[in-house]
Amino acid sequence: MFLTYLRRELTNRKKQTVIIGIGMALAIALVVIVSSVSSGVKAAQATALQSVYGVGTDITVTKTASAASGGSKPSFNFGSGSGSTPGSSSGQTKLNQSRLSLAMGSQTLPASDVTEVEKTAGVSKATGVLQLQDTDFSGSISQSQSSGSSGSGSSGSGGSSQGAPEGQSGSSSSSGSSGGFGGGNFSFDQTSVEGIPVSGDIVGPLTSTTTTSGRAFTASDSGKDVAILDQSYAKTNSKSVGDTIKLGSATFKIVGIVSSTSSSSSTASDVYIPLDTAQKLSGETGKVTAIYVSATSSSDVDTIKSALEKKMSGTTVSTEADLASSISGSLSTASTLISNLGKWLSIAVLAAAFLIAILFTISGVTRRTREFGTLKAIGWSNGRITRQVAGESVVQGIIGGIVGAAAGLAGILVVNIVSPTISGSTTGTGTQARSTAVSSGAPGGGGAPGFGGGGSTTSTADVVLHAPVTVDIILLAIGLSIAGGLIAGALGGWRASRLRPAEALRSVA
Amino acid sequence: MTETETTIAAEAEASAPPSPIYRLTDVTKTYQQKKKKVVALSGVNLSIPAGQLVAIQGPTGGGKSTLLQMLGALDRPTSGEVTLGERNIAALGDHALTDIRATEIGFVFQGFNLIPTLTALENVESAFAGSLAKLSKDEIRERSTAALTEVGLAERLDHLPAELSGGQQQRVAIARALVKNPRVLLADEPTGALDEATREEIMTLIERQWKDRGLTVVIVTHDSWVAKRAERRLHLKQGQVREI
């Protein structure tokens, strides 16, 4: 009887069923789409962060930046013998210097801090890394030919160097000693280099990468001039395993190529080298620039953050949530849009749908006063009438939920077909990011080298927004529709059960 | 003996008078309507023997419907006792009253009160409530079909109320009231919405069921033609009952 009555009511009162169903479907569809896109945006944020911090990093510890400190701006000084002149007739002097130094904006922490962090309660693993940048200056200058000066002379190594000596091309020869400056052409390349522990990395930048060729670091690589390259960097520079790469004054043998496992196009740095090698070459022995921390449980993250801040003064402790807030660009806009407009719109539509369902159910009960009074008069209990009304509402809710979930899935499909690309930029936190600046000057003047913003580093990752369909989202849709039906049904049923059975007779008395 | 104190005894049979199915003792029912107290029944004493066909007449507002509600276990008196068989309705809880309505009392209404979305057969099946709802689906279907056949609607089982005439709808309502084999049939203006020809049909049907089943039938009516067909006529005015 229950199902027959329910079916008859729903099919014979189509208008009410359709209105409640549409209201519920609209709300559920919106909730499904917003939830899914929200998951997609969160995943995109995680991707943007992973490209910099790696997988599994819950907290990063860096030295608090101060205006007057940090990685120094590299300077290049060339003496009179700093260039090389291939031929006396060319009138050009080639200059080349390469320096490996702390990344812009990076400051160091003692490596012993890594052990200190690891000892903190709740910390599963901590890894210290040294973020460097290799700055390569190369180019040529032309000398204007002056009358009366001819011939060639070789010069010694009389150039003065104010910067670190490494990487400076020391030998040079010049033609013409009295010519004027005839213009030049310079390029200025920066390569991000990261010194990482050679032991298996369970937290840190390489956790979000996969080795596409060659191998990962092993314990025997400690102290050696070996390097692992980011795939896109290797491709751009036509490098492969077995080749060499010059960083500062040293030449590294490439032992592996890695690529990002996330949808980000590149990994955190261009080149990875053993931590001790990096410390030695940069003169930062016993120093790291960032500590990546993995927590035993995600619920401990805030506690660990507080403990580390108390224990290690002068450091900046950032959680994943802090890092997410550092993301800017369209990804940030999408996140704000979803968390504000999307959430509140969903709540508003859901509340409206619930209200419509409740009002229609109660109004339906009022219209059916005589019907329920009659049923009570012929022996139906309050419970049976309440169950009947609630059953009708729940089924209306479920119909709305199914239609809404289908509409929501269609919406998600559209999002995934369109696959909007959103850009996320992470800034600050002292963590090194990729940047390569190349500039060339027109003859007659030197080009300004393309340094990034002084002191802050930026990493940009273009992430394709994928709105995932999960069981959770489907369960959420069904749960909400049942909840809406139950609330409306409970209120309607309660009202029906309060009707006095005498109503049926009174209406004709 | 005053009119209000009159105890109306069942007409005694020659050999052994049947025991009363209803016994109302000093029943009073008052309502609070806005700030005014309305006395619907005032010290009613009444005894209705089992198997009697009783008609209750009286002006609107005289207490007819209130009396029917007391007899139908739909309401409790403000004071006094309403006994159905051996049970005092005034002292029973809601659950027990619901069960009495489900198993012992059949109702027929002036406006038929069928569920508009259910077919004739389903309307009759809806009468299986309380302990009767535990019967098998097949038995419920079988008994409902038989009840509709008995009232002459075997060909109309799958019709919705809107597809039936007024007389046919009232027949469905009578089948719904009788399908559970109640002890009492209470009818509130059962012919009030029908034309004369149909009125005759319905009264004939009720009388036949009353005789065949040995039912106790109480009909509230304004229609003297209907009242005259009853064994016994009562007049209810200003909350007080008297024999006609």
Side-chain angles (χ1 to χ4, degrees):
Chain A
M1 191 70 221
F2 173 79
L3 291 176
T4 306
Y5 193 9
L6 191 146
R7 184 163 48 87
R8 300 274 185 198
E9 284 299 319
L10 294 181
T11 51
N12 286 294
R13 296 182 202 273
K14 283 196 186 84
K15 193 177 166 189
Q16 178 172 332
T17 305
V18 167
I19 290 174
I20 293 177
I22 287 175
M24 203 63 89
L26 197 67
I28 298 299
L30 200 64
V31 169
V32 165
I33 293 172
V34 168
S35 301
S36 177
V37 172
S38 177
S39 298
V41 168
K42 275 182 190 160
Q45 283 182 326
T47 301
L49 290 172
Q50 278 173 21
S51 66
V52 178
Y53 302 101
V55 174
T57 301
D58 297 312
I59 295 171
T60 59
V61 181
T62 52
K63 183 85 174 170
T64 304
S66 62
S69 57
S72 60
K73 194 192 306 189
S75 62
F76 299 91
N77 291 282
F78 298 93
S80 60
S82 298
S84 67
T85 306
S88 58
S89 60
S90 69
Q92 286 198 332
T93 301
K94 287 193 173 178
L95 297 168
N96 181 263
Q97 275 192 14
S98 180
R99 294 191 59 225
L100 190 62
S101 58
L102 279 183
M104 291 291 291
S106 294
Q107 295 176 69
T108 57
L109 294 160
S112 57
D113 280 358
V114 178
T115 320
E116 203 60 29
V117 169
E118 221 162 18
K119 283 180 189 166
T120 307
V123 170
S124 159
K125 174 75 183 169
T127 297
V129 297
L130 186 65
Q131 295 148 338
L132 305 171
Q133 64 186 20
D134 179 69
T135 314
D136 185 70
F137 181 92
S138 63
S140 61
I141 54 171
S142 303
Q143 282 184 309
S144 60
Q145 298 292 323
S146 61
S147 62
S149 73
S150 64
S152 64
S154 66
S155 65
S157 56
S160 68
S161 172
Q162 288 178 357
E166 62 266 28
Q168 181 176 329
S169 305
S171 65
S172 69
S173 63
S174 66
S175 68
S177 56
S178 59
F181 182 59
N185 193 349
F186 307 100
S187 73
F188 184 86
D189 295 328
Q190 283 182 296
T191 304
S192 56
V193 179
E194 195 156 353
I196 58 172
V198 290
S199 54
D201 214 7
I202 62 162
V203 59
L206 285 192
T207 50
S208 61
T209 64
T210 180
T211 305
T212 52
S213 68
R215 61 174 176 83
F217 286 139
T218 60
S220 61
D221 290 325
S222 180
K224 290 185 179 169
D225 292 345
V226 288
I228 291 173
L229 264 59
D230 170 74
Q231 191 179 36
S232 56
Y233 176 82
K235 198 175 173 187
T236 308
N237 292 279
S238 306
K239 297 285 185 188
S240 58
V241 173
D243 292 349
T244 59
I245 181 172
K246 198 160 179 294
L247 298 170
S249 60
T251 302
F252 287 74
K253 186 184 178 191
I254 299 166
V255 296
I257 308 277
V258 292
S259 68
S260 173
T261 50
S262 65
S263 54
S264 180
S265 57
S266 57
T267 63
S269 295
D270 297 324
V271 180
Y272 302 90
I273 59 176
L275 179 61
D276 46 3
T277 306
Q279 288 169 333
K280 191 177 143 195
L281 280 175
S282 61
E284 301 286 354
T285 309
K287 302 280 179 60
V288 293
T289 52
I291 303 170
Y292 294 119
V293 184
S294 172
T296 311
S297 163
S298 57
S299 57
D300 295 340
V301 169
D302 288 337
T303 318
I304 297 170
K305 181 186 176 181
S306 305
L308 289 176
E309 279 174 339
K310 197 177 285 182
K311 189 191 276 187
M312 305 172 73
S313 59
T315 60
T316 299
V317 182
S318 307
T319 64
E320 199 173 351
D322 299 331
L323 300 177
S325 66
S326 72
I327 293 176
S328 58
S330 56
L331 180 55
S332 171
T333 311
S335 174
T336 309
L337 202 66
I338 288 296
S339 61
N340 294 331
L341 182 65
K343 185 172 76 180
W344 289 113
L345 191 64
S346 297
I347 290 173
V349 174
L350 204 59
F354 278 25
L355 200 64
I356 288 170
I358 290 167
L359 290 177
F360 268 82
T361 305
I362 288 177
S363 135
V365 167
T366 307
R367 275 202 313 276
R368 292 162 72 186
T369 296
R370 195 167 85 152
E371 184 176 320
F372 293 130
T374 304
L375 290 172
K376 284 191 178 192
I378 66 174
W380 280 44
S381 64
N382 284 340
R384 188 173 175 186
I385 289 173
T386 303
R387 280 195 297 278
Q388 193 68 45
V389 173
E392 290 170 16
S393 291
V394 168
V395 172
Q396 282 168 340
I398 290 173
I399 291 171
I402 291 170
V403 174
L409 291 176
I412 291 171
L413 189 66
V414 170
V415 171
N416 287 334
I417 288 171
V418 173
S419 294
T421 302
I422 49 179
S423 168
S425 302
T426 52
T427 54
T429 73
T431 303
Q432 180 175 0
R434 310 168 57 79
S435 77
T436 301
V438 178
S439 77
S440 69
F451 285 104
S456 70
T457 55
T458 302
S459 172
T460 302
D462 284 338
V463 184
V464 174
L465 179 64
H466 172 73
V469 178
T470 62
V471 176
D472 289 354
I473 288 173
I474 301 298
L475 289 179
L476 177 74
I478 294 171
L480 281 174
S481 57
I482 291 176
L486 272 178
I487 291 171
L491 287 170
W494 172 75
R495 190 177 168 86
S497 69
R498 276 171 57 89
L499 292 172
R500 293 177 62 235
E503 291 292 330
L505 298 179
R506 186 163 294 171
S507 64
V508 292
Chain B
M1 195 178 287
T2 64
E3 191 174 274
T4 53
E5 290 171 336
T6 301
T7 299
I8 302 163
E11 195 172 332
E13 293 287 339
S15 51
S19 58
I21 190 163
Y22 279 115
R23 192 189 298 276
L24 279 70
T25 310
D26 205 18
V27 170
T28 297
K29 181 69 182 180
T30 57
Y31 295 106
Q32 199 71 31
Q33 204 167 53
K34 293 179 182 172
K35 288 182 179 176
K36 195 178 167 190
K37 187 179 172 185
V38 177
V39 181
L41 294 176
S42 176
V44 172
N45 290 293
L46 176 66
S47 177
I48 300 175
Q52 196 168 55
L53 173 55
V54 183
I56 301 174
Q57 289 182 281
T60 301
K64 301 189 302 294
S65 292
T66 305
L67 179 60
L68 206 63
Q69 286 168 19
M70 299 295 149
L71 299 177
L74 290 167
D75 210 348
R76 298 183 187 85
T78 308
S79 64
E81 279 188 8
V82 178
T83 306
L84 172 63
E86 299 301 319
R87 286 183 291 180
N88 178 14
I89 288 172
L92 294 176
D94 286 346
H95 187 76
L97 292 185
T98 300
D99 199 54
I100 285 174
R101 292 197 298 271
T103 55
E104 298 191 38
I105 298 167
F107 276 101
V108 175
F109 308 96
Q110 180 180 4
F112 323 131
N113 291 24
L114 299 178
I115 309 300
T117 54
L118 297 181
T119 63
L121 183 62
E122 288 159 357
N123 262 289
V124 176
E125 288 178 345
S126 73
F128 289 86
S131 54
L132 292 174
K134 292 170 188 163
L135 294 174
S136 73
K137 204 174 171 181
D138 287 344
E139 187 174 351
I140 290 174
R141 178 60 50 103
E142 197 179 313
R143 281 174 63 172
S144 301
T145 306
L148 281 170
T149 304
E150 202 172 339
V151 298
L153 291 175
E155 306 299 316
R156 299 282 189 272
L157 301 182
D158 296 327
H159 285 61
L160 290 171
E163 297 165 344
L164 299 171
S165 68
Q168 287 172 328
Q169 287 188 55
Q170 195 61 299
R171 283 165 186 268
V172 175
I174 290 170
R176 179 178 66 183
L178 298 179
V179 72
K180 54 192 173 189
N181 292 326
R183 295 167 74 186
V184 181
L185 178 67
L186 303 177
D188 191 358
E189 299 280 7
T191 59
L194 303 174
D195 59 37
E196 279 189 22
T198 315
R199 179 181 72 168
E200 170 67 37
E201 279 177 28
I202 294 299
M203 276 312 296
T204 303
L205 177 63
I206 289 174
E207 283 170 340
R208 197 179 77 220
Q209 295 298 325
W210 164 58
K211 284 175 183 162
D212 291 353
R213 294 169 181 258
L215 278 170
T216 301
V217 180
V218 179
I219 301 174
V220 166
T221 182
H222 281 105
D223 190 339
S224 295
W225 179 86
V226 172
K228 280 176 185 165
R229 296 181 68 153
E231 275 187 302
R232 180 180 171 199
R233 293 162 67 191
L234 302 174
H235 190 263
L236 200 59
K237 189 178 177 184
Q238 293 178 331
Q240 295 183 329
V241 68
R242 70 177 171 83
E243 201 101 20
I244 298 177

